[in-house]
Amino acid sequence: MRPPLDAEPGRRAAVAAVLGLALAAGALLRAAAPCPVPCVCHNLSESLSTLCARRGLLAVPLDVDRRTVELRLADNFIRAVGPPDFANMSGLVDLTLARNGLETLRPLAFGDLESLRALHLDGNRLAEIGPAALRGLLNLQHLSVNNNQLVAVAPAAFADFQLSLEDLDLSYNNLREAPWAGIRGMANLHTLQLEHNLIGTVEPGVFSELARLARLDLTSNRLATLAPEPALAVTPAALALSFGGNPLRCNCELLWLRRLGRDAGELETCAAPPAVAGRYFWAVPEEDFVCEPPLVARHTRHLRVLEGQRAALRCRALGDPEPVVHWVAPGERMVANSSRAVAYPNGTLELAAATLGDAGAYTCIAVNAAGEATARVELRVLPLPHGDGGGAAVGLPGPSDMAAKATGNTTGEEEEEEEKEPGQAVEVAEVTAHSALVQWEANKMAPTAWVYQLQYNCTDDEVLVYRILPGSSRHFLLKHLVPGAAYDLCVLAVAPDTATALASTHRLGCTHFATGEAAAPCNALRAHVLGGTLTVAVGGVLVATLLIFAVAVTVRARGCAGAQSPKLADVHSQTNGAPLAPPPAAAHGSRAHTRRAKGRPGAKGTKGAAGGRAPARRSCSLDMGACSGYAKRLGALWARRSQSVHGMLAGGAGEAALRLAGAEELEESVV
């Protein structure tokens, strides 16, 4: 049964109410989406901004809303970013990771950010950008990697956004070479900032495809010149070009840049040549932008080498700018670098092993922007000596040193095994740290060799040394070897070919040997020997000094004992008034003196003194020779005084004996 018509409006109202509730619930759920705790989230209409700057973050928050359109993570401490940090954030448009100390961009770190328009990586510590570090940024327009530590940028790093990028900032880094391969194809690039790097050259034609380039900054690099660029030869209004702070060489190569007619107030200056050094680039007249044609200042005129030797043809050219040297071989053939011929930037052409076909006239051509100059070099290759018999031919060269930089054997033969096989014709004996004796036997293939050639090199480098010896030689002493190094050595014989009667080379054999270690200097032993010698010398001096002192004391003591020593006698006190006892040699004088003194007043005191115990003895000094003269004089003085006090002096011989005895006794007493 069909419902009545008046029920339709009510049903429609119910459906509208349900839809409104659903939309409100969705809005509430969207508003209730989680925001990282340290961050601030703003929901502006359909855009969601997550601001996490200066929050002390160590990594990208895991709970960032995947619908975020703008994410700011500047001024934190995030050291590395990888694919999980920005997974499923396909709607992100602006990402800021500036000033985080960021060091690593892992491959595909931004792989899901296909809608990203601006990426700010400035103020970090990035040293390189790998080929997959920026992969996935298909619509990137602004890239800032300034103020980092970049030394290398992979050529494929900009591949995904090469056609969409508009602004590229690589300033304030350590780039010695800009990623020209990636920059060349940026058709929509407006601004290119490369200032304050170490860039020394600009690839010619690199700006030819940059049709929309409006600003180019090459300030403060190491550019000496710029090749003519039609893309840069436009009016200042079309291109803002800055190249100050470079060591510009203001010669004819920069005349095209000077003719652009820039503002003379800009501060670009010239560093060379001396005539315009220090002057403002735009103030130098065009006629002063001149070049000097090349001049060959020094070259080899004639060179003679033996077949197989190294040949070095030298050509030194001067000019402004510095000329480039090319070589033309005999037959008007341009010489290109190969395994046998190398042309160096300084103008030297080196042939590793000269052959007879290399002989002839070579031409050195020096070219620069002002012209060219040529010089002729004559090379003569002397063939190896030919002769009959096994002996050496007349005029064969003696041993000679020939060093050539080579990576392998110049004979082109296969390498031999390092260890010497049993029965091999080449042997190395008497190996020391600096020498080795090489011995060989004649080969059956070359029984009558004209000359022998020794080739050897140290395994630590690529320098191959040649020795050419007469055909009569069977041994040779290698000298001046490196201690403790391994050597590879081969002996070749140059002999006549029986089929063609021409010279042919046969290898007698190769071997491997190692020199001994150099003897270490005996510094420690020398120090011990020196210390022992010094100790023995000091000890010997001390012993000798003691012996001399002992001998001197002994001799002096014996001299004192041999001299006239006074006799020991009893000495009475000088205050008791007793008479002096006579010595045994003058006993009769003493007895006579005693009899005379009996009737005198002092006799009783004398007798009492004589009847008591004997007075104390005093020992004589050991140094009698030094004090005996003084003691005798003092003894005589005391004797006279004693005689005058007692008044008992006798005359004649008794008086003399008494004086002598008193002098000797007083001498001992005083001493």
Side-chain angles (χ1 to χ4, degrees):
M1 183 177 180
R2 187 175 182 180
L5 295 177
D6 56 355
E8 290 296 331
R11 183 180 297 176
R12 292 177 181 176
V15 171
V18 170
L19 291 177
L21 291 174
L23 292 176
L28 290 175
L29 290 174
R30 183 173 181 180
C35 183
V37 175
C39 304
V40 177
C41 299
H42 297 288
N43 188 4
L44 304 176
S45 66
E46 297 297 329
S47 300
L48 177 61
S49 299
T50 304
L51 310 180
C52 301
R54 298 182 181 179
R55 302 296 177 178
L57 299 177
L58 301 178
V60 178
L62 298 178
D63 52 350
V64 175
D65 194 333
R66 300 293 122 174
R67 298 169 301 170
T68 299
V69 176
E70 181 183 8
L71 178 59
R72 299 182 184 180
L73 296 168
D75 299 296
N76 285 289
F77 303 98
I78 303 173
R79 294 291 182 263
V81 293
D85 296 327
F86 308 105
N88 300 323
M89 299 184 70
S90 58
L92 189 63
V93 176
D94 193 310
L95 175 59
T96 303
L97 287 167
R99 299 176 298 279
N100 270 279
L102 192 62
E103 298 176 352
T104 305
L105 296 178
R106 297 189 177 94
L108 299 176
F110 311 106
D112 290 346
L113 306 183
E114 57 185 20
S115 300
L116 194 68
R117 298 293 189 272
L119 177 59
H120 304 275
L121 298 172
D122 49 288
N124 287 293
R125 299 178 182 176
L126 295 173
E128 61 178 355
I129 298 179
L134 303 177
R135 188 69 57 84
L137 302 175
L138 303 179
N139 296 292
L140 191 66
Q141 296 178 354
H142 308 279
L143 177 60
S144 299
V145 202
N146 55 297
N147 287 282
N148 277 271
Q149 301 173 5
L150 289 177
V151 296
V153 177
F158 306 145
D160 284 0
F161 49 88
Q162 194 172 25
L163 298 178
S164 62
L165 195 67
E166 297 179 359
D167 298 319
L168 177 59
D169 190 352
L170 295 173
S171 59
Y172 291 91
N173 282 287
N174 298 323
L175 293 173
R176 295 184 179 274
E177 183 178 359
W180 301 120
I183 295 174
R184 186 186 296 270
M186 294 181 178
N188 292 314
L189 191 65
H190 294 168
T191 303
L192 178 58
Q193 295 179 250
L194 297 171
E195 68 268 22
H196 293 276
N197 279 283
L198 306 174
I199 301 173
T201 58
V202 176
E203 291 186 3
V206 70
F207 303 111
S208 59
E209 300 181 18
L210 306 183
R212 298 187 177 182
L213 187 64
R215 180 186 177 190
L216 175 61
D217 197 339
L218 296 170
T219 304
S220 297
N221 280 279
R222 296 183 178 180
L223 295 173
T225 186
L226 283 173
E229 288 283 351
L232 302 181
V234 294
T235 61
L239 175 63
L241 176 63
S242 301
F243 54 92
N246 287 281
L248 298 176
R249 192 169 190 86
C250 299
N251 53 22
C252 62
E253 290 185 320
L254 290 180
L255 183 58
W256 71 273
L257 190 60
R258 174 64 182 83
R259 289 176 177 174
L260 294 181
R262 303 282 174 171
D263 185 5
E266 297 185 14
L267 301 181
E268 289 85 358
T269 57
C270 299
V276 295
R279 299 174 62 181
Y280 291 115
F281 179 84
W282 303 107
V284 177
E286 293 185 11
E287 56 270 17
D288 290 343
F289 285 79
V290 296
C291 291
E292 296 180 3
L295 173 66
V296 178
R298 184 172 62 256
H299 70 284
T300 304
R301 299 182 181 275
H302 302 280
L303 180 63
R304 296 182 181 182
V305 296
L306 187 65
E307 183 181 3
Q309 282 187 333
R310 180 180 66 95
L313 310 180
R314 307 185 187 280
C315 181
R316 181 72 174 94
L318 303 177
D320 183 22
E322 185 176 357
V324 179
V325 177
H326 305 280
W327 285 92
V328 178
E332 303 298 326
R333 295 178 292 107
M334 292 295 297
V335 178
N337 289 343
S338 64
S339 60
R340 201 174 62 86
V342 179
Y344 293 97
N346 62 358
T348 300
L349 174 63
E350 183 178 278
L351 303 177
T355 63
L356 296 178
D358 295 330
Y362 288 77
T363 303
C364 162
I365 303 177
V367 182
N368 70 358
E372 66 179 36
T374 61
R376 184 184 178 90
V377 179
E378 189 73 25
L379 174 63
R380 182 179 178 185
V381 181
L382 303 178
L384 292 173
H386 295 257
D388 298 330
V394 178
L396 285 177
S400 60
D401 294 332
M402 294 172 287
K405 293 182 179 178
T407 59
N409 196 333
T410 57
T411 60
E413 301 180 10
E414 297 181 356
E415 296 291 338
E416 293 287 339
E417 295 183 0
E418 293 185 356
E419 300 295 333
K420 184 177 71 68
E421 299 293 339
Q424 191 173 354
V426 179
E427 296 181 354
V428 179
E430 301 181 11
V431 180
T432 64
H434 299 280
S435 64
L437 179 63
V438 183
Q439 301 175 346
W440 63 89
E441 299 177 358
N443 196 318
K444 296 180 180 180
M445 299 295 297
T448 57
W450 293 336
V451 292
Y452 288 103
Q453 186 182 61
L454 273 67
Q455 301 178 1
Y456 64 94
N457 72 320
C458 180
T459 56
D460 295 337
D461 54 38
E462 298 180 355
V463 177
L464 188 63
V465 181
Y466 297 88
R467 302 277 187 173
I468 295 181
L469 308 173
S472 59
S473 302
R474 293 295 182 271
H475 59 84
F476 184 76
L477 181 62
L478 301 178
K479 298 181 180 180
H480 308 294
L481 302 179
V482 179
Y487 283 86
D488 294 320
L489 180 140
C490 292
V491 179
L492 294 86
V494 181
D497 192 351
T498 56
T500 61
L502 299 177
S504 62
T505 303
H506 303 275
R507 183 166 54 185
L508 299 183
C510 296
T511 186
H512 178 84
F513 68 95
T515 55
E517 297 290 342
C522 301
N523 295 330
L525 181 59
R526 188 181 306 126
H528 287 303
V529 172
L530 181 60
T533 304
L534 183 61
T535 303
V536 172
V538 173
V541 171
L542 293 177
V543 171
T545 303
L546 293 175
L547 290 176
I548 293 173
F549 179 74
V551 171
V553 170
T554 304
V555 172
R556 194 165 189 176
R558 290 182 179 179
C560 291
Q564 182 179 359
S565 59
K567 297 179 181 180
L568 299 178
D570 296 335
V571 180
H572 297 276
S573 176
Q574 299 176 3
T575 59
N576 56 11
L580 296 175
H588 60 282
S590 295
R591 286 193 296 268
H593 175 69
T594 303
R595 285 194 300 268
R596 295 189 187 97
K598 284 182 179 180
R600 299 184 180 180
K604 182 177 181 180
T606 302
K607 181 178 180 180
R613 64 181 181 88
R617 298 178 179 269
R618 294 188 181 181
S619 60
C620 180
S621 173
L622 293 176
D623 195 3
M624 299 303 296
C627 61
S628 59
Y630 175 77
K632 288 182 179 181
R633 293 193 299 271
L634 188 59
L637 180 60
W638 278 100
R640 288 195 298 271
R641 178 182 177 186
S642 177
Q643 292 170 3
S644 62
V645 171
H646 297 288
M648 297 167 54
L649 297 176
E655 182 179 0
L658 181 61
R659 184 181 297 110
L660 180 58
E664 292 176 351
E665 291 174 354
L666 284 176
E667 177 183 352
E668 290 182 351
S669 175
V670 172
V671 174

